[in-house]
Amino acid sequence: MKLNIYLSGEIHTNWRENIMQGCEAEKLDVSFSAPVTDHGASDDCGVAILGAEDKKFWHDNKGAKMNAIRTRKGIEDADVVVVRFGEKYKQWNAAFDAGYAAALGKSIIVIHSDDHQHALKEVDAAALAVCESASQVVDVFKYVLTSQLPS
């Protein structure tokens, strides 16, 4: 069995790399996709490609729509969608990705601290696993793919 995994959410820490490295170390048969994680490129792609906008709303709207092409494709192709909610920013887009994944019937794994438990209770209820760390996510994938518990 192979899993196609989409890594959604917070872009200011290296959690994606930790999951990818952990899966590689465990020799798990997985492939990964993710949104554009360069914050500036993600924000400005619309106006950089399609032209400037006078109003910030339309600037952001162009970028969001272009980014949605990649996000939709990644989530639609995924077997599992991992959504990380970080500490510093409110990731409304991550909650949207989780909802989109749920609507498509995708398996969802959520990562967040205890501080966000109440705010994310509906997202957590849709998830098949709620983790606090990237290593727990790797352990979930190891179990799913090999039936082995962590040592």
Side-chain angles (χ1 to χ4, degrees):
M1 179 186 326
K2 179 178 183 165
L3 291 177
N4 295 314
I5 303 164
Y6 185 77
L7 301 172
S8 172
E10 183 264 322
I11 65 169
H12 301 285
T13 62
N14 64 348
W15 68 274
R16 285 179 180 83
E17 291 78 13
N18 292 340
I19 290 173
M20 290 187 272
Q21 290 168 0
C23 288
E24 184 179 335
E26 294 289 343
K27 297 179 176 33
L28 301 178
D29 194 5
V30 296
S31 64
F32 295 97
S33 61
V36 172
T37 58
D38 177 321
H39 201 159
S42 176
D43 284 351
D44 297 335
C45 63
V47 296
I49 296 168
L50 302 174
E53 291 292 341
D54 292 335
K55 295 189 177 194
K56 183 70 170 142
F57 174 85
W58 296 114
H59 175 115
D60 290 345
N61 187 272
K62 276 185 178 178
K65 287 180 178 179
M66 289 186 55
N67 286 314
I69 297 168
R70 181 184 181 107
T71 300
R72 288 178 186 178
K73 176 71 171 149
I75 292 173
E76 289 167 5
D77 289 350
D79 299 307
V80 180
V81 177
V82 178
V83 185
R84 164 127 169 85
F85 293 89
E87 301 305 312
K88 189 171 180 185
Y89 301 100
K90 305 277 191 241
Q91 290 94 37
W92 308 120
N93 57 320
F96 185 87
D97 288 356
Y100 185 59
L104 293 174
K106 301 296 178 172
S107 295
I108 302 167
I109 298 173
V110 176
I111 310 171
H112 64 75
S113 69
D114 285 342
D115 293 343
H116 292 1
Q117 231 169 16
H118 180 73
L120 295 172
K121 63 186 178 293
E122 286 81 10
V123 174
D124 288 351
L128 297 179
V130 179
C131 300
E132 294 180 2
S133 68
S135 64
Q136 287 180 323
V137 175
V138 173
D139 288 342
V140 169
F141 292 143
K142 181 178 179 181
Y143 175 75
V144 168
L145 291 169
T146 69
S147 303
Q148 294 178 4
L149 293 172
S151 38

